[in-house]
């Protein structure tokens, strides 16, 4: 920010006040250091507002042309950095009004008719977010694609099995692809949530003025259409007081953060020495300044850690909103930082996680060996007995006894000899050993949504088409 204003600070309410603001008030009020990123959206909204003032007969043809020209010029100068806020600008709106006054003199002041910073800021933030949720969705799609490509590469014959865990204990074998796709489903819901959010956010507050609408013959619906909104706000008070769109976005972002964190936690486990399921590519791993052998999953850990700030942002925003009477209150200025931080955080974490996932190498052999460990085929054995007419209760108990036998003799279920099997339970005839194979167990789980290879392939095909349509939405909006 420049330290000195080229023109005196724009005071929006100079007429009513005899003295200027105290230094402490000015320092507390200022938001331009974080709301400057709304500048392109503020300028777009200003152009739409200028056209409406012109149609209302409040600007002549020449005035409109000059205003639009100056707004375009300002947009270019903002992009290049030729125009920047100064220390004396309170917020993005006052900074841009100064820019307009510098270029047009008093004509620049005409744009404020029928408009308040209250409807302006609500409009700008909606425009900013509608733009950026598409960027976030595009990055989510890239992460989903990385996960789906990994899944596809582990579906080729023979598909890679993995130990399926509950309570972080071996439970039943699954396909590695099935587990990777479970994460894709979570991210698909995240994108669906953003798309759904966008429908509710597509309402334009501009025209609400400070709170009560306008006595000038403005046309909020025309402004809404010009700015790409679906409709104009039907209640001017709600228009300036509502921040549901910001809170809902922060929730969607926080939940994506939670999903990223859970995936991050899995990567940390998978790449630990104890699991040894996968290795992180050097490009996405960090070393240690003291321990030469270290290869750490910092990307995954940062993804896990940053979920905290996303949840914190949401909590802060909701807490700020909860006690506010209608309509605008200055507290609302606090809405922007959590929103911006959520966008920045996701745009930072998502590409790193996509790169981490796509470059990670899974150890097929180790996963295959681990898939049956921990007596993970016990359920298959019990279900076989059920198919033979044994009540599940008895089957469960018989296999439970067999597990104890194996623990005592330090062997796997399939390694128990014929005589010992029947000794443990008369239900356990030697042929039950036939189901004690991981590929057999996987193929048998063939109902909709299960982990059989054919089911997982169909699941992947379905997901690819969902993700493809989300990618189109993110690109075109
Ligand atoms: N910077 C303010 C905000 O972000 C703009 C609106 C100011 N309105 C007001 N009545 N003081 O909320």
């Amino acid at each position: 920010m420049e330290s000195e204003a080229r023109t005196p600070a724009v005071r929006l309410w100079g007429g009513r006040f005899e003295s200027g603001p105290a230094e402490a008030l000015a320092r507390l009020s200022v938001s331009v250091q974080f709301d400057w990123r709304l500048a392109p959206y503020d300028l777009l909204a200003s152009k739409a507002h200028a056209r409406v003032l012109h149609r209302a007969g409040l600007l002549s043809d020449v005035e409109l042309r000059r205003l639009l020209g100056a707004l375009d010029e300002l947009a270019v100068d903002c992009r290049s950095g030729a125009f920047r806020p100064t220390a004396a600008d309170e917020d993005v709106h006052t900074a841009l009004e100064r820019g307009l006054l510098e270029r047009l003199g008093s004509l620049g002041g005409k744009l404020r008719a029928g408009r308040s910073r209250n409807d302006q800021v609500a409009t700008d933030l909606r425009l900013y977010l509608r733009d950026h949720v598409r960027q976030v969705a595009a990055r989510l799609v890239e992460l989903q694609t990385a996960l789906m490509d990994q899944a596809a590469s582990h579906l080729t014959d023979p598909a890679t099995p993995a130990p399926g865990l509950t309570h972080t204990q071996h439970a039943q074998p699954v396909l590695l692809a099935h587990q990777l796709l479970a994460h894709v489903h979570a991210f698909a819901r995240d994108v669906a949530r953003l798309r759904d959010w966008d429908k509710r956010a597509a309402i334009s507050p501009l025209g609400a003025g400070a709170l009560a609408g306008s006595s000038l013959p403005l046309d909020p619906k025309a402004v809404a259409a010009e700015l790409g909104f679906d409709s104009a706000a039907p209640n001017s008070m709600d228009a300036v007081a509502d921040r549901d769109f910001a809170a809902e976005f922060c929730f969607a972002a926080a939940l994506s953060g939670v999903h990223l964190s859970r995936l991050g936690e899995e990567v940390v486990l998978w790449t630990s020495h104890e699991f040894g399921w996968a290795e992180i590519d050097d490009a996405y791993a960090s070393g240690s300044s003291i321990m030469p052998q270290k290869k750490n999953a910092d990307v995954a850990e940062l993804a896990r850690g940053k979920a905290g700030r996303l949840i914190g942002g949401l909590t802060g925003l909701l807490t700020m909103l909860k006690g506010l009477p209608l309509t605008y209150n200055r507290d609302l200025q606090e809405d922007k930082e959590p929103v911006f931080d959520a966008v920045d955080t996701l745009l930072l974490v998502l590409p790193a996680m996509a790169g981490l996932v796509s470059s990670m190498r899974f150890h097929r052999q180790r996963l295959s060996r681990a898939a049956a460990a921990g007596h993970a085929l016990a359920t298959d054995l019990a279900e076989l007995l059920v198919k033979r007419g044994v009540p599940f209760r008895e089957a469960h108990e018989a296999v439970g006894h067999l597990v104890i036998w194996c623990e005592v003799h330090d062997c796997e279920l399939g390694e128990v000899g014929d005589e010992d099997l029947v000794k443990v339970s008369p239900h356990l005839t030697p042929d039950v050993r036939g189901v004690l194979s991981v590929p057999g167990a996987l193929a048998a789980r063939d109902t909709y949504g299960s982990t059989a290879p054919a089911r997982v392939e169909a699941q992947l095909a379905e997901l690819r088409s969902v993700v493809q349509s989300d990618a189109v939405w993110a690109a075109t909006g």
Side-chain angles (χ1 to χ4, degrees):
M1 222 183 291
E2 284 164 19
S3 56
E4 270 173 42
R6 275 177 287 164
T7 54
V10 173
R11 296 250 173 270
L12 302 178
W13 53 83
R16 160 79 176 77
F17 283 61
E18 282 171 15
S19 70
E23 176 63 18
L25 164 74
R27 278 217 308 274
L28 174 63
S29 289
V30 69
S31 59
V32 75
Q33 70 279 17
F34 56 79
D35 67 18
W36 182 240
R37 67 167 88 188
L38 295 176
Y41 305 97
D42 198 76
L43 290 165
L44 274 180
S46 287
K47 285 174 73 175
H49 185 61
R51 289 201 184 91
V52 158
L53 289 178
H54 173 249
R55 278 204 293 280
L58 298 167
L59 289 177
S60 71
D61 291 352
V62 177
E63 286 175 328
L64 174 67
R65 207 167 340 105
R66 292 188 59 210
L67 267 169
L68 292 179
L71 288 166
D72 282 339
E73 221 180 275
L74 252 182
V76 171
D77 289 351
C78 288
R79 263 200 303 278
S80 72
F83 181 82
R84 279 181 296 154
T86 71
D89 292 321
E90 183 184 305
D91 59 18
V92 58
H93 322 289
T94 44
L96 292 173
E97 182 165 324
R98 174 177 62 78
L100 219 49
L101 292 171
E102 282 169 4
R103 281 162 176 74
L104 299 174
S106 68
L107 172 60
K110 283 209 164 183
L111 208 53
R112 220 197 295 158
R115 186 172 76 160
S116 151
R117 285 187 295 163
N118 298 355
D119 56 348
Q120 231 177 315
V121 74
T123 306
D124 294 357
L125 193 56
R126 280 175 191 259
L127 286 171
Y128 166 88
L129 261 185
R130 293 194 68 212
D131 209 5
H132 284 77
V133 291
R134 285 161 173 80
Q135 292 179 31
V136 169
R139 301 292 88 77
L140 279 164
V141 161
E142 282 161 14
L143 174 57
Q144 290 176 295
T145 305
L147 285 161
M148 289 191 297
D149 290 349
Q150 275 285 6
S153 76
H154 286 278
L155 267 176
T156 50
D157 215 19
T160 310
L165 309 182
T166 61
H167 311 271
T168 329
Q169 307 278 338
H170 286 234
Q172 295 179 346
V174 292
L175 284 188
L176 174 63
H178 196 48
Q179 181 154 355
L180 294 172
L181 295 186
H183 289 285
V184 179
H185 281 284
F187 293 122
R189 289 191 294 275
D190 290 341
V191 180
R193 210 168 280 115
L194 293 179
R195 292 181 69 165
D196 188 53
W197 170 91
D198 190 55
K199 289 185 210 138
R200 272 185 301 285
I203 292 174
S204 168
L206 209 58
L211 79 162
S214 182
S215 66
L216 301 174
L218 305 178
D219 187 353
K221 288 187 174 172
V223 170
E226 180 171 341
L227 294 175
F229 288 111
D230 292 343
S231 56
N235 180 314
S236 62
M237 295 180 80
D238 184 42
V240 293
D242 169 35
R243 291 296 182 276
D244 290 4
F245 67 97
E248 269 194 61
F249 170 75
C250 284
F251 171 73
L255 193 51
S256 292
V258 168
H259 293 151
L260 284 162
S261 176
R262 295 183 74 175
L263 175 60
E265 171 64 10
E266 295 227 301
V267 172
V268 169
L269 288 175
W270 296 343
T271 56
S272 67
H273 180 77
E274 285 65 25
F275 272 66
W277 295 4
E279 193 185 335
I280 300 174
D281 190 76
D282 284 1
Y284 288 93
S286 313
S288 154
S289 55
I290 180 167
M291 297 167 282
Q293 85 286 7
K294 290 283 271 177
K295 200 169 171 187
N296 296 329
D298 289 26
V299 170
E301 290 170 347
L302 283 166
R304 196 174 56 188
K306 284 190 188 285
R309 64 193 291 156
L310 290 166
I311 295 165
L314 169 66
T315 313
L317 180 59
L318 288 172
T319 311
M320 179 275 283
L321 289 171
K322 72 175 264 301
L324 295 188
L326 298 184
T327 54
Y328 180 84
N329 301 272
R330 193 60 180 271
D331 318 44
L332 288 173
Q333 181 165 292
E334 295 289 312
D335 62 356
K336 280 170 278 301
E337 283 166 295
V339 163
F340 295 156
D341 190 66
V343 169
D344 292 346
T345 300
L346 289 177
L347 292 180
L348 202 59
V349 173
L350 286 166
M353 281 298 273
L356 171 78
V357 166
S358 63
S359 60
M360 208 159 69
R361 284 176 298 279
F362 286 93
H363 301 309
R364 288 172 196 259
Q365 297 295 329
R366 238 190 111 100
L367 278 162
S368 301
R369 256 182 282 125
H375 312 301
L377 295 169
T379 316
D380 300 82
L381 196 50
E383 286 181 0
L384 174 75
L385 300 186
V386 166
K387 282 184 207 153
R388 292 178 174 182
V390 180
F392 187 74
R393 216 180 122 77
E394 272 173 50
H396 189 285
E397 199 168 275
V399 178
H401 288 147
L402 184 64
V403 168
I404 295 181
W405 198 95
C406 289
E407 296 274 290
V408 171
H409 294 87
D410 193 22
C411 69
E412 291 298 322
L413 296 175
E415 293 166 4
V416 185
D418 291 358
E419 312 86 70
D420 292 324
L421 266 184
V422 220
K423 254 190 258 161
V424 172
S425 161
H427 297 309
L428 297 173
T429 49
D431 58 335
V432 298
R433 237 183 263 112
V435 294
L436 294 176
S437 94
V438 169
L442 290 170
R445 295 191 200 291
D446 194 30
T447 51
Y448 182 77
S450 296
T451 194
R455 288 292 179 182
V456 177
E457 269 163 37
Q459 186 194 150
L460 175 59
E462 265 178 48
L463 269 173
R464 290 254 193 225
S465 91
V466 170
V467 172
Q468 172 57 26
S469 105
D470 286 343
V472 169
W473 177 81
T476 58

